[in-house]
Amino acid sequence: MIEALRELARRLLAEERVRVVIGYGQSSPQGPVHPLFITRAEDAEQLVWNRQCFSNLTAYLTRKDVRALGPAAVVVKGCDERTITVLEKEAQLERERVFVVGMVCEGMGDPGLPKCQVCDRHRPRLADETLGEAVDREVPALERYAALEAFLARPAEQRMAYWQEELARCVKCYACRQVCPLCYCERCIVDKNRPAVIDTSATLKGNFAWHITRAFHLAGRCVACGECARVCPVGIDLTLLNQSLARAAEEAYGFRAGEDPRVEPLVGSWSPQDREDFIR
Amino acid sequence: MARIGVFVCWCGENIARHVDVEAVASGAATLPGVRTALSYKYMCSEPGQALIRRKIAEEGLDAVVVSACSPHMHLRTFRRAAEGAGVNPYRVEMANIREHCSWVHHDRGEATAKAADLVRMAVAKARLDRPLEPICVPVARRVMVVGGGVAGIQAALDVADAGHQVVLLEREPSIGGKMAGLSETFPTLDCSQCILTPRMVEAAQHPNITLHTYSEVEAVEGFVGNFRVTVRKRARYIDVDRCTGCGQCWNSCPSKKNPSEFDYRLGQRTAIYIPFPQAVPARPVIDKDACIKLTKGKCGLCAKRCEAQAVKFDDEDRLVVEEVGAVVVATGYRLYDPRTPAAADGISGYGEYGYGKYADVIDSLQFERLASASGPTAGEIRRPSDGAVPKSIVFVSCVGSRDPAKGLSYCSKVCCMYNAKHAMLYRHKVHDGAAHVFYMDVRAGGKNYDEFVRRAIEQDGARYHRGRVSKITEREGKLIVRGVDTLAGEAITVEADMVVLAAAIRPAEGVERLAQKLGVGYDAFGFLSESHPKLRPVETNAAGVFVCGACQGPKDIPESVAQASAAAAKVLALFSRDELSRDPEIASVNELTCAACFACERSCPYGAVERAELRNGRGEFLKRTARINPGLCMGCGTCVAVCPSKSVDLDGYSETQVYAMLKSLT
Amino acid sequence: MEIGYYPGCALHGSSNDYETSVRACLSALDVGLKELDDWLCCGASAAHSLNHKLSVALPARNLALAERDGMAELLAPCPMCSGALLRAKAALHGDARLREEMGEIIELPVAGSAEVLNLVQIFERAGIERIRERAVRTLEDYRPACYYGCLLTRPPQTTRFDDCEQPRSMESLLSALGAEPVDWAFRTECCGAGMTVAREETVLELAHRILSDAAARGANCLVVACPMCHVNLDMKQADVARRFAVNHQMIVYYLSDLVGLALGLSPEALGVDRHFVVR
Amino acid sequence: MSQNNGFDPKIIAYVCNWCTYLGADLAGTNRLEYPASVRIIRLPCTGRIDFHLIVKAFESGADAVLVSGCHPGDCHYTAGNFHARRRWTLFRALLDVLGIEMDRIHFTWISAAEGRKWQEVVTEITEKTKALGPYRAYRRICEGGA
């Protein structure tokens, strides 16, 4: 697969289909895998593909400096590729200007990340070219949301206590925001003043406000790449928050973010039949 | 710092009984930004307003809080009063200490405490009110009327007679609408064409009316006072300016056996045709699917015969842009097709009535053509199957109407009257014929209407059966109509030669698409929604768009005409001004921070958000941004709620203001 | 394939010829019937007029049995039964409290998940094309008047089967097998079976009308999918003859009879010889 | 509960201008008494009521929040409440996982004609909030340090 990937990158650059290939690189065999931006065909050798290719590279597609390079190719996993759909729906990229290289993925990390254990998209579906062989299995929603389910089984006071403890540790480094491919606002709401919407200090109050905002801004958008939680330096499990919204979207509207390019974004559309059992 | 005056009203005893107004006023006086606070017995009275004006002048106030009743009651009053003394009207706030306080809380301590809170919130908001100016937009004094039936013609003539330009749009080749095909009209039995055709000619010849027939609305941009409507003029294959309407072409056309739309398929027409002899304009169109030249490349007889050389086989659809200040929708109705489900819930239509299966089961508009002197039988009642004169006819009411099980729950309103008329016309023409009417109720509300129905029954011998028809079958050339007479309590069977179904009235085909283009709401059945069912019956929630006639709900001719004149009056009121001023409490985008995700665009009920580009002074592209068209924004604020970077705000209800109100309570 | 089977009282009693026919015909199509163990009367004829809860509980128990035995589909050849089962299903669906209450009454958990099918639907499930391929003889001599009766398609909100007033499904099936169904007026009229005892006069008149119209349209047999219709229209022909002096001699087939004949089964194997009017 | 006897809950109500605000007006016109616990913030439409406002209300010490607007199909702006309904459905899921007490957030449709419903709703949520007591958990969040 690595050779096929390198060959494809070489071809895309040589034929000038794209100006940059966004993939994974590794400075030494044991070193960490990092994002790699290849602009010359001869550098394609540096691309790697292994179980350490965690990051969701689509985050770079909306960066100004990357856009300035011209049409891009991006290497995606089944989980990442959904981002492309969301970005396109939100007018953040023109699909035809991006060449999507899909990598069949058996899971990242060793042992696999929790998201990989319940993955039902080993094989990308929306890519322009997909490398590798794999068969997807259906994973029932129950299984995909098992961790959330287990957490929700605790009483509300315990959940609140859990978050008070967890969020007290947040240092507001905003790594969760920086790594998120869908946090592309030029000025994040947290940086807004007059009026300030969110208390910017790393107090419990500010941290709650921030994490509620971060999660809800991804309602109907989060593709569950899980990068926010993976990069959190103090290890807060943000996927629980993201999952609660994803499950609500799936249960109430049969909606999974980025799955179907024909479906309009969840927030901003409506149906008279939308459920409202909580409204008196 | 703001200079705010707080004016606490007693409303006589209404407020003062349960709220210590003096305490509220003295408490308010200590709030930041408040220069003066006082109470008065009746703030809305002239002396009360004078007091406000005097204090504004004395204290140099720049904002006012009136602590009194509901803003829905008197905000406008106090805004005017303050404006009179030089305070921007959008810097006037009200604290509702009557409806929301003294009238509902009778514990004086609690009520006074709440009133103080409400004043605190209003003061916090007033401190942050920006002075706003009403949005002024110029008005194009030109109206487009969509639909050239009797309602559209009436509205067009009314506006045109008042001296303004009108663009009258009609989808069919001729104006006249459904009324042009009717035989005689209830309750006077005067001839429909005799009263309508002069109006059609008048509309066509009116110097202020531009007519587009065979045309539809393609797209609508803009807003009240400034609409740009793109009209698709369908290819007619005739140069209308050259054509003299002599008739050589349609008289020579060899393709003669095409079902006539105007006769609802009971008659036939040529491929090049005018829909009916009195058509306006009296210019033919070519049916491109029936024309031998256009389908097979041969023939062209009409072109050879045309001395004016008006036939253009290479004609194409054309798009024309019309700039208008207002739009009147008068797209009328069509009849429900009894064969089809009325709603998409899988419940079938009235297949059991055999419409479309038995040639002699027809709908009521088809019967109008049979009864019309200009119709396919020249006004003789002859049944479609064999041309025989039917000796008995069954008229079935409420086919589709008032039947929630089949999907249409409403009453079509005009069927009771035309059933009586049909029975009457039939009996006048076929003296020994039997006219049976099956009905649920006879609804004959209207001037001389009930008398008319009585006449049908008592003088003309129509036989009325109160009950519904269950099934229509055919046996030996007779239609066997089985139904029930609920008054007699028995099942009855009538052997009929012909059956006329009073199919429900539905809005015209495609009206939903038009409504979406115009931003007008419509109900579950597709009827357009008026702003208020009683007080604003011809206005819609899209400013500058008005409705009249059956597109808004089932209606007869007098009602449609009355509504059309009402719509015209509303248009004229709009045109009586040079500029329109609109409430400026609308949304605006901080274009520098907008991330151009266009969540606002997707959420805006009015299509007021546009995709724009931000450029610098030299015209170089900087970034993309959402932009709000102030002409279209109605100020709901949905965009504010969905904007992730909070780059949109709403004047009058800004983020800062809401937060300040919350803070004032801590 | 194998599906659940709810015979109902009629098929185990007065209309056992119907059961013979259904079983023989379906077995020729390799459709196995697994009879619901411990089924009881669905209460369709009387329960609703006595006690509403009873009218839900009786069919609900049968549905619960089907669920217990893992039957996703349940054939109820009698339209009164399938109607009662479908009504209960609709009531249970989306009403958690009722499901709970019923569960207590019948002492079995019930969700109402099994799909209830009438006889026509079973043939559609088996595939008209497949049936045609298996047919060994054509039905070209048959000009049936397909009679749906009042219950098979009604109420449409519950049955969700064919066009309620103008059904075509039996005609489609039989035409595919070579028969020439007639177009006639009484497809969905009531035959009066429910009043056989109470008002025989009415019943005879209704039956006479149905038989007369079928004959007038050139039908040489009637086809039904309801034990009540069959018993009424078949058995009463003698009485109709006495009352109206017309001896119709119209053979009344079950739908499964004709399909079975096309598949090469003998009339005896299908129980056709046990009808009152025979060829 | 005895410790709640002296407790006057603070309830913030975000209501739309065209239905619920007028419904509350009507309650006044009809002199329908109810507890003086609610402070109304009038906004044009439920479409404008976003999740920040709910969070902010709790941050400013609310013991409960009420959000109310026009019934579906009656929105003055045709669809604002439909947009709002979808957002609230999702937002509730998030609040739930966070362990926010869902009994303190109320959503209703109250039309301009439903003065009585306004009275009932305010009375009911006041009673409910009284029984729950002050929202100490959120106060702790607001007072909690880094």
Side-chain angles (χ1 to χ4, degrees), chain B residues 593-612:
Chain B
T593 61
C594 167
C597 71
F598 301 112
C600 48
E601 183 196 37
R602 290 191 295 276
S603 309
C604 178
Y606 300 96
V609 180
E610 295 163 359
R611 297 187 179 207

Side-chain angles (χ1 to χ4, degrees), chain B residues 70 72 105 117 646 655, chain D residues 17 25 34 39 48 50 77:
Chain B
S70 168
H72 286 274
H105 310 312
D117 271 358
K646 277 281 176 284
E655 286 287 294
Chain D
N17 183 39
D25 275 2
Y34 54 83
R39 301 291 177 269
R48 165 67 187 83
D50 65 24
Y77 306 98

Side-chain angles (χ1 to χ4, degrees), chain B residues 328-374:
Chain B
V328 174
V329 184
T331 47
Y333 70 97
R334 69 183 143 140
L335 288 192
Y336 161 61
D337 183 336
R339 286 168 294 187
T340 57
D345 61 358
I347 295 181
S348 53
Y350 294 82
E352 64 270 30
Y353 287 177
Y355 179 79
K357 180 175 176 189
Y358 308 127
D360 295 326
V361 178
I362 62 174
D363 69 30
S364 41
L365 278 177
Q366 291 177 312
F367 188 82
E368 291 284 349
R369 294 309 298 147
L370 290 184
S372 168
S374 71

